[in-house]
Coordinates of all heavy atoms in Angstrom, one line a residue:
E77 N 79.9 -236.5 -13.4 CA 81.2 -237.2 -13.6 C 81.4 -237.4 -15.1 O 82.5 -237.2 -15.6 CB 81.3 -238.5 -12.8 CG 81.4 -238.2 -11.3 CD 82.6 -237.3 -10.9 OE1 83.7 -237.6 -11.3 OE2 82.3 -236.4 -10.1
A78 N 80.4 -237.9 -15.8 CA 80.5 -238.1 -17.2 C 80.9 -236.8 -18.0 O 81.7 -236.8 -18.9 CB 79.3 -238.8 -17.8
W79 N 80.2 -235.8 -17.6 CA 80.5 -234.5 -18.2 C 81.9 -234.0 -17.9 O 82.6 -233.4 -18.8 CB 79.4 -233.4 -17.8 CG 78.1 -233.6 -18.5 CD1 77.9 -234.1 -19.8 CD2 76.8 -233.1 -18.0 NE1 76.5 -234.0 -20.1 CE2 75.9 -233.4 -19.0 CE3 76.4 -232.5 -16.8 CZ2 74.5 -233.1 -18.9 CZ3 75.1 -232.3 -16.7 CH2 74.1 -232.5 -17.7
K80 N 82.3 -234.2 -16.7 CA 83.7 -233.8 -16.3 C 84.7 -234.6 -17.2 O 85.6 -234.0 -17.7 CB 83.9 -234.1 -14.8 CG 85.3 -233.6 -14.3 CD 85.4 -233.7 -12.8 CE 85.4 -235.1 -12.4 NZ 85.7 -235.3 -11.0
D81 N 84.4 -235.9 -17.4 CA 85.3 -236.6 -18.2 C 85.3 -236.1 -19.6 O 86.4 -236.1 -20.3 CB 84.9 -238.1 -18.2 CG 85.2 -238.8 -16.8 OD1 86.0 -238.2 -16.0 OD2 84.6 -239.8 -16.5
K82 N 84.1 -235.8 -20.1 CA 84.0 -235.3 -21.5 C 84.8 -234.0 -21.7 O 85.5 -233.8 -22.7 CB 82.6 -235.1 -21.9 CG 82.4 -234.7 -23.3 CD 80.9 -234.7 -23.7 CE 80.7 -234.5 -25.2 NZ 79.3 -234.6 -25.6
I83 N 84.7 -233.1 -20.7 CA 85.5 -231.8 -20.7 C 87.0 -232.1 -20.8 O 87.7 -231.5 -21.6 CB 85.1 -231.0 -19.5 CG1 83.7 -230.4 -19.6 CG2 86.1 -229.8 -19.4 CD1 83.2 -229.8 -18.4
E84 N 87.4 -233.1 -20.1 CA 88.9 -233.4 -20.1 C 89.3 -234.2 -21.4 O 90.3 -233.9 -22.0 CB 89.2 -234.3 -18.9 CG 90.7 -234.6 -18.8 CD 91.1 -235.4 -17.5 OE1 90.2 -235.8 -16.8 OE2 92.3 -235.6 -17.3
D85 N 88.5 -235.2 -21.7 CA 88.8 -236.0 -22.9 C 88.5 -235.5 -24.2 O 89.2 -235.8 -25.2 CB 88.1 -237.4 -22.7 CG 88.5 -238.1 -21.4 OD1 89.6 -237.8 -20.9 OD2 87.8 -239.0 -21.0
D86 N 87.5 -234.7 -24.3 CA 87.1 -234.1 -25.6 C 86.5 -232.7 -25.5 O 85.3 -232.5 -25.6 CB 86.0 -235.1 -26.3 CG 85.8 -234.8 -27.8 OD1 86.4 -233.8 -28.3 OD2 85.0 -235.5 -28.4
P87 N 87.4 -231.8 -25.2 CA 87.0 -230.4 -24.9 C 86.2 -229.7 -26.0 O 85.4 -228.9 -25.8 CB 88.2 -229.7 -24.5 CG 89.4 -230.5 -25.0 CD 88.9 -231.9 -25.0
V88 N 86.6 -230.1 -27.3 CA 85.9 -229.5 -28.4 C 84.5 -229.9 -28.4 O 83.6 -229.1 -28.6 CB 86.7 -229.9 -29.7 CG1 85.9 -229.4 -30.9 CG2 88.1 -229.3 -29.7
A89 N 84.2 -231.2 -28.3 CA 82.8 -231.7 -28.3 C 82.1 -231.1 -27.0 O 80.9 -230.8 -27.1 CB 82.8 -233.2 -28.3
A90 N 82.8 -231.0 -25.9 CA 82.1 -230.5 -24.7 C 81.6 -229.1 -24.9 O 80.6 -228.7 -24.4 CB 83.1 -230.6 -23.5
R91 N 82.4 -228.3 -25.7 CA 82.0 -226.9 -25.9 C 80.6 -226.7 -26.6 O 80.0 -225.7 -26.6 CB 83.0 -226.1 -26.7 CG 84.2 -225.7 -25.8 CD 85.0 -224.6 -26.6 NE 85.4 -225.0 -27.9 CZ 86.6 -225.3 -28.3 NH1 87.6 -225.2 -27.4 NH2 86.9 -225.7 -29.5
T92 N 80.3 -227.8 -27.3 CA 79.0 -227.7 -28.1 C 77.9 -228.6 -27.6 O 76.9 -228.8 -28.3 CB 79.3 -228.1 -29.6 OG1 79.9 -229.4 -29.7 CG2 80.3 -227.1 -30.2
D93 N 78.1 -229.2 -26.5 CA 77.1 -230.1 -25.9 C 76.1 -229.3 -25.1 O 76.4 -228.8 -24.0 CB 77.8 -231.1 -24.9 CG 76.9 -232.2 -24.3 OD1 75.7 -231.9 -24.1 OD2 77.4 -233.3 -24.1
A94 N 74.9 -229.1 -25.7 CA 74.0 -228.2 -25.0 C 73.6 -228.7 -23.6 O 73.4 -227.8 -22.7 CB 72.7 -228.1 -25.9
A95 N 73.4 -230.0 -23.4 CA 73.0 -230.5 -22.1 C 74.1 -230.2 -21.1 O 73.8 -229.8 -20.0 CB 72.7 -232.0 -22.2
L96 N 75.4 -230.4 -21.5 CA 76.5 -230.1 -20.6 C 76.5 -228.7 -20.3 O 76.7 -228.3 -19.1 CB 77.8 -230.6 -21.3 CG 79.1 -230.5 -20.5 CD1 80.1 -231.5 -20.9 CD2 79.7 -229.1 -20.5
L97 N 76.4 -227.8 -21.3 CA 76.5 -226.4 -21.0 C 75.4 -225.9 -20.1 O 75.5 -225.0 -19.3 CB 76.4 -225.6 -22.3 CG 77.7 -225.8 -23.2 CD1 77.4 -225.2 -24.6 CD2 78.9 -225.3 -22.6
A98 N 74.2 -226.5 -20.2 CA 73.1 -226.1 -19.4 C 73.1 -226.7 -18.0 O 72.6 -226.1 -17.0 CB 71.8 -226.5 -20.0
G99 N 73.7 -227.9 -17.8 CA 73.6 -228.7 -16.6 C 74.8 -229.0 -15.8 O 74.7 -229.4 -14.6
Y100 N 76.0 -228.7 -16.4 CA 77.2 -229.0 -15.7 C 77.4 -228.1 -14.5 O 77.3 -226.9 -14.6 CB 78.4 -229.0 -16.6 CG 79.7 -229.4 -16.0 CD1 79.9 -230.6 -15.5 CD2 80.8 -228.5 -15.9 CE1 81.1 -231.0 -14.9 CE2 82.0 -228.8 -15.4 CZ 82.2 -230.1 -14.9 OH 83.4 -230.5 -14.3
K101 N 77.7 -228.7 -13.3 CA 78.0 -227.9 -12.1 C 79.5 -227.6 -12.1 O 80.4 -228.5 -12.1 CB 77.7 -228.7 -10.9 CG 76.2 -228.9 -10.7 CD 76.0 -229.6 -9.3 CE 74.5 -229.7 -9.0 NZ 74.3 -230.3 -7.7
T102 N 79.9 -226.3 -12.2 CA 81.3 -225.9 -12.2 C 81.9 -226.3 -10.9 O 81.5 -226.0 -9.8 CB 81.4 -224.4 -12.4 OG1 80.7 -224.0 -13.6 CG2 82.8 -223.9 -12.5
P103 N 83.1 -227.0 -11.0 CA 83.8 -227.4 -9.8 C 84.6 -226.3 -9.2 O 85.3 -225.6 -10.0 CB 84.6 -228.6 -10.2 CG 84.8 -228.4 -11.7 CD 83.6 -227.6 -12.2
L104 N 84.5 -226.0 -7.9 CA 85.3 -225.0 -7.2 C 86.1 -225.7 -6.1 O 85.5 -226.7 -5.5 CB 84.4 -223.9 -6.7 CG 83.5 -223.3 -7.7 CD1 82.5 -222.3 -7.0 CD2 84.2 -222.6 -8.8
F105 N 87.3 -225.3 -5.8 CA 88.1 -226.0 -4.7 C 88.6 -224.9 -3.7 O 89.1 -223.9 -4.1 CB 89.2 -226.7 -5.4 CG 90.2 -227.4 -4.4 CD1 89.7 -228.0 -3.2 CD2 91.5 -227.4 -4.7 CE1 90.6 -228.6 -2.4 CE2 92.4 -228.0 -3.8 CZ 91.9 -228.6 -2.7
I106 N 88.3 -225.2 -2.5 CA 88.8 -224.3 -1.4 C 89.8 -225.1 -0.5 O 89.4 -226.2 0.0 CB 87.6 -223.7 -0.5 CG1 86.7 -222.9 -1.4 CG2 88.2 -222.9 0.6 CD1 85.4 -222.5 -0.7
N107 N 91.0 -224.6 -0.4 CA 92.0 -225.3 0.5 C 92.2 -224.4 1.7 O 92.5 -223.2 1.5 CB 93.3 -225.4 -0.3 CG 94.3 -226.3 0.4 OD1 94.0 -227.5 0.6 ND2 95.4 -225.8 0.7
A108 N 92.1 -224.9 2.9 CA 92.2 -224.1 4.1 C 93.3 -224.6 5.0 O 93.5 -225.8 5.1 CB 90.9 -224.1 4.8
N109 N 94.0 -223.6 5.6 CA 94.9 -223.9 6.7 C 96.1 -224.7 6.3 O 96.5 -225.6 7.0 CB 94.1 -224.6 7.8 CG 94.8 -224.7 9.2 OD1 94.4 -225.6 10.0 ND2 95.7 -223.8 9.5
I110 N 96.7 -224.3 5.2 CA 97.9 -225.0 4.7 C 99.1 -224.7 5.7 O 100.0 -225.5 5.8 CB 98.3 -224.6 3.3 CG1 99.3 -225.6 2.7 CG2 98.8 -223.2 3.2 CD1 99.4 -225.5 1.2
H111 N 99.1 -223.6 6.3 CA 100.0 -223.3 7.4 C 99.3 -223.5 8.7 O 98.3 -222.8 9.0 CB 100.5 -221.8 7.3 CG 101.4 -221.6 6.0 ND1 101.2 -220.6 5.2 CD2 102.4 -222.4 5.5 CE1 102.1 -220.7 4.2 NE2 102.8 -221.8 4.4
G112 N 99.9 -224.3 9.6 CA 99.2 -224.7 10.8 C 98.9 -223.6 11.7 O 97.9 -223.6 12.5
N113 N 99.7 -222.6 11.8 CA 99.5 -221.4 12.7 C 98.6 -220.3 12.1 O 98.5 -219.3 12.6 CB 100.9 -220.8 13.1 CG 101.7 -220.3 11.9 OD1 101.4 -220.6 10.8 ND2 102.7 -219.5 12.3

Side-chain angles (χ1 to χ4, degrees):
E77 290 303 311
W79 282 333
K80 183 172 68 171
D81 291 343
K82 185 173 187 175
I83 290 168
E84 182 177 6
D85 298 338
D86 194 354
V88 173
R91 279 196 309 248
T92 59
D93 183 329
L96 184 154
L97 295 172
Y100 182 62
K101 291 183 175 183
T102 304
L104 308 173
F105 177 37
I106 299 172
N107 190 61
N109 195 202
I110 196 166
H111 294 134
N113 61 344

